[in-house]
Amino acid sequence: MAYWLVKTEPAVYSYADLEREGTDYWDGVRNNLAQKHMKAMQPGDLVLVYHTGSEKQAVGVAEVVRGAYPDPTDPTGRWVAVDLKARLRLPRPVTLVQIKADPAFKDWELVRNSRLSVMPVPEPLWERIMRMAGLGSV
């Protein structure tokens, strides 16, 4: 199993929207590196859903239920989407300020490349975020 982070603007599509839908496709990613990460996602992988904009915090965990397939919103056929299922809302959101304050995260893409919308989460960092959110392992 692998761990990932996906970013979303909560005013456009929030973790609450994913909870309401149960399962939905994650589309609209138009960055080559983010697409590479999406193509690597496999069913059963866990995904940290991160709200951008004024929130800047990880708020929930989803699960990949369908790996990469052609993005239905892309008429060119160049980009892919994945299907995610809401799994749990974090008891305590983990903010970007908290993450940046922790030296363990200094080399992670979320800190180094703030514009990347999909990225891997190394397992030790995943576990650290889950503890910061008030959970053990998920």
Side-chain angles (χ1 to χ4, degrees):
M1 174 178 21
Y3 302 98
W4 306 95
L5 178 140
V6 296
K7 292 180 179 179
T8 185
E9 176 60 54
V12 176
Y13 192 90
S14 70
Y15 187 74
D17 294 321
L18 182 58
E19 285 177 315
R20 198 169 26 264
E21 295 294 326
T23 300
D24 206 352
Y25 61 93
W26 205 264
D27 66 333
V29 174
R30 302 293 187 260
N31 171 282
N32 289 320
L33 182 55
Q35 279 285 297
K36 178 183 172 189
H37 295 320
M38 287 181 68
K39 289 175 182 174
M41 291 179 169
Q42 298 295 317
D45 288 354
L46 296 180
V47 179
L48 193 60
V49 178
Y50 178 90
H51 283 176
T52 61
S54 61
E55 289 189 30
K56 292 183 178 64
Q57 60 186 3
V59 296
V61 174
E63 180 179 344
V64 177
V65 293
R66 181 180 177 195
Y69 61 92
D71 183 335
T73 67
D74 172 31
T76 71
R78 178 177 176 197
W79 308 106
V80 300
V82 296
D83 288 355
L84 300 181
K85 176 181 180 180
R87 192 129 170 224
L88 67 95
R89 182 175 292 273
L90 297 180
R92 285 191 310 263
V94 179
T95 68
L96 183 59
V97 170
Q98 290 173 289
I99 290 169
K100 284 184 171 183
D102 187 330
F105 294 100
K106 71 179 172 55
D107 294 324
W108 187 31
E109 285 88 345
L110 184 65
V111 173
R112 291 184 307 114
N113 185 357
S114 63
R115 298 194 45 87
L116 189 61
S117 62
V118 179
M119 65 193 68
V121 182
E123 187 171 358
L125 298 184
W126 177 273
E127 295 297 333
R128 197 172 191 94
I129 290 168
M130 293 302 109
R131 285 192 303 276
M132 291 166 77
L135 299 168
S137 293
V138 175

mmCIF file with all atom_site columns, all heavy atoms in Angstrom, residues 83-103:
data_model
loop_
_atom_site.group_PDB
_atom_site.id
_atom_site.type_symbol
_atom_site.label_atom_id
_atom_site.label_alt_id
_atom_site.label_comp_id
_atom_site.label_asym_id
_atom_site.label_entity_id
_atom_site.label_seq_id
_atom_site.pdbx_PDB_ins_code
_atom_site.Cartn_x
_atom_site.Cartn_y
_atom_site.Cartn_z
_atom_site.occupancy
_atom_site.B_iso_or_equiv
_atom_site.pdbx_formal_charge
_atom_site.auth_seq_id
_atom_site.auth_comp_id
_atom_site.auth_asym_id
_atom_site.auth_atom_id
_atom_site.pdbx_PDB_model_num
ATOM 1   N N   . ASP A 1 83  ? -10.593 7.078  -8.853  1.00 0.00 ? 83  ASP A N   1
ATOM 2   C CA  . ASP A 1 83  ? -11.778 7.107  -8.004  1.00 0.00 ? 83  ASP A CA  1
ATOM 3   C C   . ASP A 1 83  ? -11.356 6.995  -6.544  1.00 0.00 ? 83  ASP A C   1
ATOM 4   O O   . ASP A 1 83  ? -10.555 6.119  -6.187  1.00 0.00 ? 83  ASP A O   1
ATOM 5   C CB  . ASP A 1 83  ? -12.728 5.964  -8.341  1.00 0.00 ? 83  ASP A CB  1
ATOM 6   C CG  . ASP A 1 83  ? -13.445 6.158  -9.662  1.00 0.00 ? 83  ASP A CG  1
ATOM 7   O OD1 . ASP A 1 83  ? -13.291 7.236  -10.288 1.00 0.00 ? 83  ASP A OD1 1
ATOM 8   O OD2 . ASP A 1 83  ? -14.153 5.220  -10.084 1.00 0.00 ? 83  ASP A OD2 1
ATOM 9   N N   . LEU A 1 84  ? -11.902 7.884  -5.728  1.00 0.00 ? 84  LEU A N   1
ATOM 10  C CA  . LEU A 1 84  ? -11.624 7.901  -4.295  1.00 0.00 ? 84  LEU A CA  1
ATOM 11  C C   . LEU A 1 84  ? -12.903 7.682  -3.510  1.00 0.00 ? 84  LEU A C   1
ATOM 12  O O   . LEU A 1 84  ? -13.966 8.140  -3.910  1.00 0.00 ? 84  LEU A O   1
ATOM 13  C CB  . LEU A 1 84  ? -11.018 9.247  -3.877  1.00 0.00 ? 84  LEU A CB  1
ATOM 14  C CG  . LEU A 1 84  ? -9.704  9.663  -4.522  1.00 0.00 ? 84  LEU A CG  1
ATOM 15  C CD1 . LEU A 1 84  ? -9.256  11.016 -3.967  1.00 0.00 ? 84  LEU A CD1 1
ATOM 16  C CD2 . LEU A 1 84  ? -8.628  8.612  -4.311  1.00 0.00 ? 84  LEU A CD2 1
ATOM 17  N N   . LYS A 1 85  ? -12.750 7.016  -2.382  1.00 0.00 ? 85  LYS A N   1
ATOM 18  C CA  . LYS A 1 85  ? -13.864 6.783  -1.456  1.00 0.00 ? 85  LYS A CA  1
ATOM 19  C C   . LYS A 1 85  ? -13.499 7.440  -0.122  1.00 0.00 ? 85  LYS A C   1
ATOM 20  O O   . LYS A 1 85  ? -12.395 7.239  0.396   1.00 0.00 ? 85  LYS A O   1
ATOM 21  C CB  . LYS A 1 85  ? -14.060 5.281  -1.254  1.00 0.00 ? 85  LYS A CB  1
ATOM 22  C CG  . LYS A 1 85  ? -15.116 4.923  -0.250  1.00 0.00 ? 85  LYS A CG  1
ATOM 23  C CD  . LYS A 1 85  ? -15.212 3.417  -0.100  1.00 0.00 ? 85  LYS A CD  1
ATOM 24  C CE  . LYS A 1 85  ? -16.269 3.066  0.919   1.00 0.00 ? 85  LYS A CE  1
ATOM 25  N NZ  . LYS A 1 85  ? -16.386 1.621  1.089   1.00 0.00 ? 85  LYS A NZ  1
ATOM 26  N N   . ALA A 1 86  ? -14.425 8.229  0.424   1.00 0.00 ? 86  ALA A N   1
ATOM 27  C CA  . ALA A 1 86  ? -14.192 8.854  1.726   1.00 0.00 ? 86  ALA A CA  1
ATOM 28  C C   . ALA A 1 86  ? -14.034 7.758  2.778   1.00 0.00 ? 86  ALA A C   1
ATOM 29  O O   . ALA A 1 86  ? -14.825 6.816  2.818   1.00 0.00 ? 86  ALA A O   1
ATOM 30  C CB  . ALA A 1 86  ? -15.355 9.767  2.087   1.00 0.00 ? 86  ALA A CB  1
ATOM 31  N N   . ARG A 1 87  ? -13.036 7.892  3.617   1.00 0.00 ? 87  ARG A N   1
ATOM 32  C CA  . ARG A 1 87  ? -12.793 6.885  4.641   1.00 0.00 ? 87  ARG A CA  1
ATOM 33  C C   . ARG A 1 87  ? -13.002 7.449  6.046   1.00 0.00 ? 87  ARG A C   1
ATOM 34  O O   . ARG A 1 87  ? -13.715 6.863  6.835   1.00 0.00 ? 87  ARG A O   1
ATOM 35  C CB  . ARG A 1 87  ? -11.375 6.365  4.469   1.00 0.00 ? 87  ARG A CB  1
ATOM 36  C CG  . ARG A 1 87  ? -11.105 5.164  5.253   1.00 0.00 ? 87  ARG A CG  1
ATOM 37  C CD  . ARG A 1 87  ? -10.523 4.037  4.485   1.00 0.00 ? 87  ARG A CD  1
ATOM 38  N NE  . ARG A 1 87  ? -10.132 3.063  5.481   1.00 0.00 ? 87  ARG A NE  1
ATOM 39  C CZ  . ARG A 1 87  ? -9.018  2.403  5.489   1.00 0.00 ? 87  ARG A CZ  1
ATOM 40  N NH1 . ARG A 1 87  ? -8.163  2.541  4.522   1.00 0.00 ? 87  ARG A NH1 1
ATOM 41  N NH2 . ARG A 1 87  ? -8.759  1.572  6.464   1.00 0.00 ? 87  ARG A NH2 1
ATOM 42  N N   . LEU A 1 88  ? -12.372 8.594  6.360   1.00 0.00 ? 88  LEU A N   1
ATOM 43  C CA  . LEU A 1 88  ? -12.612 9.197  7.673   1.00 0.00 ? 88  LEU A CA  1
ATOM 44  C C   . LEU A 1 88  ? -12.148 10.637 7.692   1.00 0.00 ? 88  LEU A C   1
ATOM 45  O O   . LEU A 1 88  ? -11.198 11.007 7.021   1.00 0.00 ? 88  LEU A O   1
ATOM 46  C CB  . LEU A 1 88  ? -11.935 8.411  8.801   1.00 0.00 ? 88  LEU A CB  1
ATOM 47  C CG  . LEU A 1 88  ? -10.415 8.379  8.866   1.00 0.00 ? 88  LEU A CG  1
ATOM 48  C CD1 . LEU A 1 88  ? -9.899  9.454  9.799   1.00 0.00 ? 88  LEU A CD1 1
ATOM 49  C CD2 . LEU A 1 88  ? -9.966  7.022  9.360   1.00 0.00 ? 88  LEU A CD2 1
ATOM 50  N N   . ARG A 1 89  ? -12.868 11.436 8.459   1.00 0.00 ? 89  ARG A N   1
ATOM 51  C CA  . ARG A 1 89  ? -12.488 12.832 8.685   1.00 0.00 ? 89  ARG A CA  1
ATOM 52  C C   . ARG A 1 89  ? -11.485 12.832 9.842   1.00 0.00 ? 89  ARG A C   1
ATOM 53  O O   . ARG A 1 89  ? -11.666 12.129 10.834  1.00 0.00 ? 89  ARG A O   1
ATOM 54  C CB  . ARG A 1 89  ? -13.725 13.644 9.056   1.00 0.00 ? 89  ARG A CB  1
ATOM 55  C CG  . ARG A 1 89  ? -13.445 15.119 9.266   1.00 0.00 ? 89  ARG A CG  1
ATOM 56  C CD  . ARG A 1 89  ? -14.712 15.901 9.515   1.00 0.00 ? 89  ARG A CD  1
ATOM 57  N NE  . ARG A 1 89  ? -15.541 15.953 8.327   1.00 0.00 ? 89  ARG A NE  1
ATOM 58  C CZ  . ARG A 1 89  ? -15.414 16.868 7.369   1.00 0.00 ? 89  ARG A CZ  1
ATOM 59  N NH1 . ARG A 1 89  ? -14.487 17.793 7.477   1.00 0.00 ? 89  ARG A NH1 1
ATOM 60  N NH2 . ARG A 1 89  ? -16.213 16.846 6.334   1.00 0.00 ? 89  ARG A NH2 1
ATOM 61  N N   . LEU A 1 90  ? -10.426 13.611 9.702   1.00 0.00 ? 90  LEU A N   1
ATOM 62  C CA  . LEU A 1 90  ? -9.439  13.691 10.777  1.00 0.00 ? 90  LEU A CA  1
ATOM 63  C C   . LEU A 1 90  ? -10.065 14.345 12.003  1.00 0.00 ? 90  LEU A C   1
ATOM 64  O O   . LEU A 1 90  ? -10.733 15.376 11.874  1.00 0.00 ? 90  LEU A O   1
ATOM 65  C CB  . LEU A 1 90  ? -8.223  14.494 10.323  1.00 0.00 ? 90  LEU A CB  1
ATOM 66  C CG  . LEU A 1 90  ? -7.411  13.902 9.158   1.00 0.00 ? 90  LEU A CG  1
ATOM 67  C CD1 . LEU A 1 90  ? -6.241  14.820 8.816   1.00 0.00 ? 90  LEU A CD1 1
ATOM 68  C CD2 . LEU A 1 90  ? -6.928  12.503 9.470   1.00 0.00 ? 90  LEU A CD2 1
ATOM 69  N N   . PRO A 1 91  ? -9.862  13.776 13.195  1.00 0.00 ? 91  PRO A N   1
ATOM 70  C CA  . PRO A 1 91  ? -10.415 14.394 14.410  1.00 0.00 ? 91  PRO A CA  1
ATOM 71  C C   . PRO A 1 91  ? -9.908  15.814 14.619  1.00 0.00 ? 91  PRO A C   1
ATOM 72  O O   . PRO A 1 91  ? -10.641 16.678 15.078  1.00 0.00 ? 91  PRO A O   1
ATOM 73  C CB  . PRO A 1 91  ? -9.940  13.483 15.542  1.00 0.00 ? 91  PRO A CB  1
ATOM 74  C CG  . PRO A 1 91  ? -9.506  12.213 14.904  1.00 0.00 ? 91  PRO A CG  1
ATOM 75  C CD  . PRO A 1 91  ? -9.164  12.528 13.484  1.00 0.00 ? 91  PRO A CD  1
ATOM 76  N N   . ARG A 1 92  ? -8.628  16.027 14.279  1.00 0.00 ? 92  ARG A N   1
ATOM 77  C CA  . ARG A 1 92  ? -8.012  17.360 14.332  1.00 0.00 ? 92  ARG A CA  1
ATOM 78  C C   . ARG A 1 92  ? -7.330  17.596 12.993  1.00 0.00 ? 92  ARG A C   1
ATOM 79  O O   . ARG A 1 92  ? -6.382  16.882 12.649  1.00 0.00 ? 92  ARG A O   1
ATOM 80  C CB  . ARG A 1 92  ? -6.948  17.425 15.429  1.00 0.00 ? 92  ARG A CB  1
ATOM 81  C CG  . ARG A 1 92  ? -7.467  17.499 16.828  1.00 0.00 ? 92  ARG A CG  1
ATOM 82  C CD  . ARG A 1 92  ? -6.345  17.832 17.825  1.00 0.00 ? 92  ARG A CD  1
ATOM 83  N NE  . ARG A 1 92  ? -5.158  17.010 17.702  1.00 0.00 ? 92  ARG A NE  1
ATOM 84  C CZ  . ARG A 1 92  ? -4.895  15.936 18.450  1.00 0.00 ? 92  ARG A CZ  1
ATOM 85  N NH1 . ARG A 1 92  ? -5.729  15.549 19.387  1.00 0.00 ? 92  ARG A NH1 1
ATOM 86  N NH2 . ARG A 1 92  ? -3.784  15.250 18.275  1.00 0.00 ? 92  ARG A NH2 1
ATOM 87  N N   . PRO A 1 93  ? -7.798  18.570 12.220  1.00 0.00 ? 93  PRO A N   1
ATOM 88  C CA  . PRO A 1 93  ? -7.083  18.883 10.975  1.00 0.00 ? 93  PRO A CA  1
ATOM 89  C C   . PRO A 1 93  ? -5.620  19.210 11.286  1.00 0.00 ? 93  PRO A C   1
ATOM 90  O O   . PRO A 1 93  ? -5.304  19.731 12.357  1.00 0.00 ? 93  PRO A O   1
ATOM 91  C CB  . PRO A 1 93  ? -7.810  20.105 10.433  1.00 0.00 ? 93  PRO A CB  1
ATOM 92  C CG  . PRO A 1 93  ? -9.178  20.030 11.034  1.00 0.00 ? 93  PRO A CG  1
ATOM 93  C CD  . PRO A 1 93  ? -8.967  19.444 12.405  1.00 0.00 ? 93  PRO A CD  1
ATOM 94  N N   . VAL A 1 94  ? -4.748  18.880 10.342  1.00 0.00 ? 94  VAL A N   1
ATOM 95  C CA  . VAL A 1 94  ? -3.325  19.160 10.495  1.00 0.00 ? 94  VAL A CA  1
ATOM 96  C C   . VAL A 1 94  ? -2.974  20.282 9.520   1.00 0.00 ? 94  VAL A C   1
ATOM 97  O O   . VAL A 1 94  ? -3.109  20.119 8.313   1.00 0.00 ? 94  VAL A O   1
ATOM 98  C CB  . VAL A 1 94  ? -2.474  17.905 10.222  1.00 0.00 ? 94  VAL A CB  1
ATOM 99  C CG1 . VAL A 1 94  ? -0.985  18.223 10.360  1.00 0.00 ? 94  VAL A CG1 1
ATOM 100 C CG2 . VAL A 1 94  ? -2.878  16.774 11.164  1.00 0.00 ? 94  VAL A CG2 1
ATOM 101 N N   . THR A 1 95  ? -2.547  21.402 10.074  1.00 0.00 ? 95  THR A N   1
ATOM 102 C CA  . THR A 1 95  ? -2.323  22.595 9.260   1.00 0.00 ? 95  THR A CA  1
ATOM 103 C C   . THR A 1 95  ? -0.934  22.587 8.623   1.00 0.00 ? 95  THR A C   1
ATOM 104 O O   . THR A 1 95  ? 0.004   21.937 9.115   1.00 0.00 ? 95  THR A O   1
ATOM 105 C CB  . THR A 1 95  ? -2.464  23.872 10.103  1.00 0.00 ? 95  THR A CB  1
ATOM 106 O OG1 . THR A 1 95  ? -1.380  23.930 11.041  1.00 0.00 ? 95  THR A OG1 1
ATOM 107 C CG2 . THR A 1 95  ? -3.806  23.926 10.820  1.00 0.00 ? 95  THR A CG2 1
ATOM 108 N N   . LEU A 1 96  ? -0.817  23.362 7.565   1.00 0.00 ? 96  LEU A N   1
ATOM 109 C CA  . LEU A 1 96  ? 0.485   23.541 6.921   1.00 0.00 ? 96  LEU A CA  1
ATOM 110 C C   . LEU A 1 96  ? 1.471   24.191 7.883   1.00 0.00 ? 96  LEU A C   1
ATOM 111 O O   . LEU A 1 96  ? 2.656   23.852 7.884   1.00 0.00 ? 96  LEU A O   1
ATOM 112 C CB  . LEU A 1 96  ? 0.326   24.384 5.645   1.00 0.00 ? 96  LEU A CB  1
ATOM 113 C CG  . LEU A 1 96  ? 1.600   24.604 4.829   1.00 0.00 ? 96  LEU A CG  1
ATOM 114 C CD1 . LEU A 1 96  ? 2.212   23.274 4.375   1.00 0.00 ? 96  LEU A CD1 1
ATOM 115 C CD2 . LEU A 1 96  ? 1.309   25.496 3.633   1.00 0.00 ? 96  LEU A CD2 1
ATOM 116 N N   . VAL A 1 97  ? 1.004   25.080 8.721   1.00 0.00 ? 97  VAL A N   1
ATOM 117 C CA  . VAL A 1 97  ? 1.875   25.723 9.717   1.00 0.00 ? 97  VAL A CA  1
ATOM 118 C C   . VAL A 1 97  ? 2.474   24.661 10.638  1.00 0.00 ? 97  VAL A C   1
ATOM 119 O O   . VAL A 1 97  ? 3.680   24.679 10.922  1.00 0.00 ? 97  VAL A O   1
ATOM 120 C CB  . VAL A 1 97  ? 1.097   26.800 10.520  1.00 0.00 ? 97  VAL A CB  1
ATOM 121 C CG1 . VAL A 1 97  ? 1.902   27.293 11.712  1.00 0.00 ? 97  VAL A CG1 1
ATOM 122 C CG2 . VAL A 1 97  ? 0.716   27.954 9.612   1.00 0.00 ? 97  VAL A CG2 1
ATOM 123 N N   . GLN A 1 98  ? 1.658   23.717 11.104  1.00 0.00 ? 98  GLN A N   1
ATOM 124 C CA  . GLN A 1 98  ? 2.161   22.636 11.961  1.00 0.00 ? 98  GLN A CA  1
ATOM 125 C C   . GLN A 1 98  ? 3.183   21.781 11.222  1.00 0.00 ? 98  GLN A C   1
ATOM 126 O O   . GLN A 1 98  ? 4.207   21.395 11.786  1.00 0.00 ? 98  GLN A O   1
ATOM 127 C CB  . GLN A 1 98  ? 1.007   21.737 12.419  1.00 0.00 ? 98  GLN A CB  1
ATOM 128 C CG  . GLN A 1 98  ? 0.055   22.370 13.396  1.00 0.00 ? 98  GLN A CG  1
ATOM 129 C CD  . GLN A 1 98  ? -1.128  21.459 13.647  1.00 0.00 ? 98  GLN A CD  1
ATOM 130 O OE1 . GLN A 1 98  ? -1.985  21.277 12.778  1.00 0.00 ? 98  GLN A OE1 1
ATOM 131 N NE2 . GLN A 1 98  ? -1.179  20.872 14.825  1.00 0.00 ? 98  GLN A NE2 1
ATOM 132 N N   . ILE A 1 99  ? 2.874   21.462 9.969   1.00 0.00 ? 99  ILE A N   1
ATOM 133 C CA  . ILE A 1 99  ? 3.775   20.625 9.179   1.00 0.00 ? 99  ILE A CA  1
ATOM 134 C C   . ILE A 1 99  ? 5.110   21.335 8.962   1.00 0.00 ? 99  ILE A C   1
ATOM 135 O O   . ILE A 1 99  ? 6.173   20.747 9.152   1.00 0.00 ? 99  ILE A O   1
ATOM 136 C CB  . ILE A 1 99  ? 3.102   20.227 7.844   1.00 0.00 ? 99  ILE A CB  1
ATOM 137 C CG1 . ILE A 1 99  ? 1.958   19.238 8.131   1.00 0.00 ? 99  ILE A CG1 1
ATOM 138 C CG2 . ILE A 1 99  ? 4.105   19.660 6.857   1.00 0.00 ? 99  ILE A CG2 1
ATOM 139 C CD1 . ILE A 1 99  ? 1.041   18.969 6.964   1.00 0.00 ? 99  ILE A CD1 1
ATOM 140 N N   . LYS A 1 100 ? 5.067   22.602 8.597   1.00 0.00 ? 100 LYS A N   1
ATOM 141 C CA  . LYS A 1 100 ? 6.305   23.350 8.356   1.00 0.00 ? 100 LYS A CA  1
ATOM 142 C C   . LYS A 1 100 ? 7.118   23.544 9.634   1.00 0.00 ? 100 LYS A C   1
ATOM 143 O O   . LYS A 1 100 ? 8.344   23.687 9.575   1.00 0.00 ? 100 LYS A O   1
ATOM 144 C CB  . LYS A 1 100 ? 5.995   24.706 7.731   1.00 0.00 ? 100 LYS A CB  1
ATOM 145 C CG  . LYS A 1 100 ? 5.627   24.608 6.267   1.00 0.00 ? 100 LYS A CG  1
ATOM 146 C CD  . LYS A 1 100 ? 5.416   25.982 5.678   1.00 0.00 ? 100 LYS A CD  1
ATOM 147 C CE  . LYS A 1 100 ? 5.275   25.915 4.178   1.00 0.00 ? 100 LYS A CE  1
ATOM 148 N NZ  . LYS A 1 100 ? 5.146   27.257 3.569   1.00 0.00 ? 100 LYS A NZ  1
ATOM 149 N N   . ALA A 1 101 ? 6.462   23.544 10.768  1.00 0.00 ? 101 ALA A N   1
ATOM 150 C CA  . ALA A 1 101 ? 7.160   23.723 12.050  1.00 0.00 ? 101 ALA A CA  1
ATOM 151 C C   . ALA A 1 101 ? 7.899   22.462 12.486  1.00 0.00 ? 101 ALA A C   1
ATOM 152 O O   . ALA A 1 101 ? 8.760   22.527 13.367  1.00 0.00 ? 101 ALA A O   1
ATOM 153 C CB  . ALA A 1 101 ? 6.172   24.150 13.130  1.00 0.00 ? 101 ALA A CB  1
ATOM 154 N N   . ASP A 1 102 ? 7.598   21.329 11.882  1.00 0.00 ? 102 ASP A N   1
ATOM 155 C CA  . ASP A 1 102 ? 8.188   20.053 12.257  1.00 0.00 ? 102 ASP A CA  1
ATOM 156 C C   . ASP A 1 102 ? 9.339   19.731 11.300  1.00 0.00 ? 102 ASP A C   1
ATOM 157 O O   . ASP A 1 102 ? 9.110   19.544 10.103  1.00 0.00 ? 102 ASP A O   1
ATOM 158 C CB  . ASP A 1 102 ? 7.119   18.962 12.194  1.00 0.00 ? 102 ASP A CB  1
ATOM 159 C CG  . ASP A 1 102 ? 7.590   17.638 12.735  1.00 0.00 ? 102 ASP A CG  1
ATOM 160 O OD1 . ASP A 1 102 ? 8.805   17.339 12.648  1.00 0.00 ? 102 ASP A OD1 1
ATOM 161 O OD2 . ASP A 1 102 ? 6.738   16.871 13.215  1.00 0.00 ? 102 ASP A OD2 1
ATOM 162 N N   . PRO A 1 103 ? 10.567  19.654 11.785  1.00 0.00 ? 103 PRO A N   1
ATOM 163 C CA  . PRO A 1 103 ? 11.717  19.389 10.918  1.00 0.00 ? 103 PRO A CA  1
ATOM 164 C C   . PRO A 1 103 ? 11.615  18.075 10.132  1.00 0.00 ? 103 PRO A C   1
ATOM 165 O O   . PRO A 1 103 ? 12.253  17.936 9.090   1.00 0.00 ? 103 PRO A O   1
ATOM 166 C CB  . PRO A 1 103 ? 12.911  19.345 11.875  1.00 0.00 ? 103 PRO A CB  1
ATOM 167 C CG  . PRO A 1 103 ? 12.459  19.991 13.127  1.00 0.00 ? 103 PRO A CG  1
ATOM 168 C CD  . PRO A 1 103 ? 10.959  19.847 13.188  1.00 0.00 ? 103 PRO A CD  1
#
